[in-house]
Amino acid sequence: HREFAKIDPEVFNPPLAGSLNSLSNRLAETGHLEGALTVIEEAVSIYQHLAKTYPEAFDSDLAMSICSLSNRLAQIGRREDALKAVEEAIPIYKELAKIYPEVFNPDLAKSLDSLSSRLADNGRREDALKAAEEAVLIYRQLAKVHSQAFNPDLASSLDSLSNRLAGVGHRE
């Protein structure tokens, strides 16, 4: 894709960015974290450019790649940078979920779970609790309509909420 993107970036940058995102995931799965980070940073850069020009088409891809960036940063111990990244993705997902809740509420809830973890990693326990509560609320709504699809995510999110409650001293 890279060679084609040089020739016609408007046509080939979207699949290049998607391929880079997938490559980053595979590299991370095989323990090549620095390479995974480099690749996802390139994908984010491409999606940022695309989203500026065509936000309706690429905002969701941008948010997804920023969440992947946050994951890569967290994996190498760059906690503050990981938090900043996921904080950048949340408003994008919130805006998308306002317009297309059926499509983007799952992504919003997942990113809120990530935000909760990143906040906790940075010692911001009260903020982490708020993000976890928001994620659980969304997953509960999703599970009401599609229980088989979202009950596992709700259970995981409730577990995270339990951890956040314990983190602020609510052990009841």
Side-chain angles (χ1 to χ4, degrees):
H1 292 289
R2 205 178 295 278
E3 291 303 314
F4 289 122
K6 289 178 186 175
I7 297 166
D8 193 347
E10 195 160 315
V11 172
F12 291 104
N13 269 345
L16 172 60
S19 294
L20 290 169
N21 191 66
S22 295
L23 177 59
S24 174
N25 291 334
R26 299 302 81 75
L27 288 168
E29 289 169 2
T30 58
H32 297 91
L33 299 179
E34 290 295 335
L37 176 60
T38 300
V39 169
I40 195 59
E41 287 173 332
E42 184 179 355
V44 168
S45 177
I46 293 169
Y47 279 132
Q48 285 171 330
H49 175 73
L50 291 167
K52 283 181 187 171
T53 309
Y54 307 104
E56 303 83 15
F58 294 106
D59 274 355
S60 63
D61 293 320
L62 174 60
M64 178 257 323
S65 66
I66 292 171
C67 285
S68 293
L69 174 61
S70 175
N71 292 337
R72 298 297 90 77
L73 290 164
Q75 288 171 324
I76 63 168
R78 290 175 51 190
R79 293 178 175 181
E80 289 179 18
D81 292 332
L83 173 59
K84 288 176 188 173
V86 76
E87 285 177 328
E88 188 179 333
I90 297 291
I92 298 169
Y93 275 134
K94 283 187 176 185
E95 193 60 36
L96 290 166
K98 283 182 193 174
I99 301 166
Y100 306 105
E102 303 82 16
V103 176
F104 292 107
N105 270 342
D107 294 324
L108 175 58
K110 184 176 180 179
S111 65
L112 286 164
D113 265 339
S114 292
L115 175 63
S116 176
S117 294
R118 303 294 176 260
L119 287 163
D121 289 346
N122 281 277
R124 294 174 53 191
R125 290 179 176 85
E126 291 290 338
D127 292 332
L129 175 60
K130 289 177 188 171
E133 289 171 336
E134 191 174 349
V136 165
L137 178 67
I138 295 169
Y139 277 131
R140 280 192 171 133
Q141 294 168 349
L142 292 166
K144 279 183 184 177
V145 179
H146 304 288
S147 60
Q148 287 185 323
F150 292 107
N151 274 344
D153 294 321
L154 175 58
S156 176
S157 193
L158 286 166
D159 184 56
S160 294
L161 177 60
S162 172
N163 292 332
R164 301 302 163 249
L165 285 165
V168 296
H170 297 288
R171 301 195 184 274
E172 304 154 11

